[in-house]
Amino acid sequence: AGAAPEHATRLCCRPEAVRLQPAESEPNRLLARIVDETYLGSRYRLMLAADRLPGITLFADVLREQRHLLPAPGSHKFWVA
């Protein structure tokens, strides 16, 4: 028997569930990098790559007023929960 084929995986979070720069004690905290972003008027949809979730793309919506708190796509990593 051969190895199972690799599958593209997406993990989506409700916009209100994503916390930027959460406290160190926050459960499910992940170090992530913005791969791409789409401006949607009142919010941005971010495509994230998280260190502890290799091969999984995480999409999160962030309010326009919060976007300035995060680095540009492809640059530094930041914490999300």
Side-chain angles (χ1 to χ4, degrees):
E6 292 189 27
H7 301 285
T9 304
R10 288 187 178 184
L11 175 63
C12 295
C13 293
R14 292 171 50 165
E16 63 273 14
V18 177
R19 289 178 300 286
L20 309 175
Q21 306 295 1
E24 196 170 317
S25 61
E26 184 75 36
N28 301 318
R29 198 169 79 129
L30 300 169
L31 193 57
R33 177 177 50 81
I34 299 173
V35 176
D36 198 8
E37 67 183 345
T38 303
Y39 178 66
L40 300 172
S42 64
R43 66 188 189 285
Y44 284 86
R45 175 152 300 143
L46 305 178
M47 181 190 308
L48 306 173
D51 287 356
R52 293 189 335 202
L53 300 173
I56 295 177
T57 301
L58 174 66
F59 288 90
D61 288 357
V62 176
L63 292 175
R64 183 179 59 213
E65 295 79 20
Q66 294 178 319
R67 178 61 189 94
H68 74 281
L69 300 172
L70 301 173
S75 64
H76 300 91
K77 296 178 181 178
F78 63 100
W79 291 104
V80 297

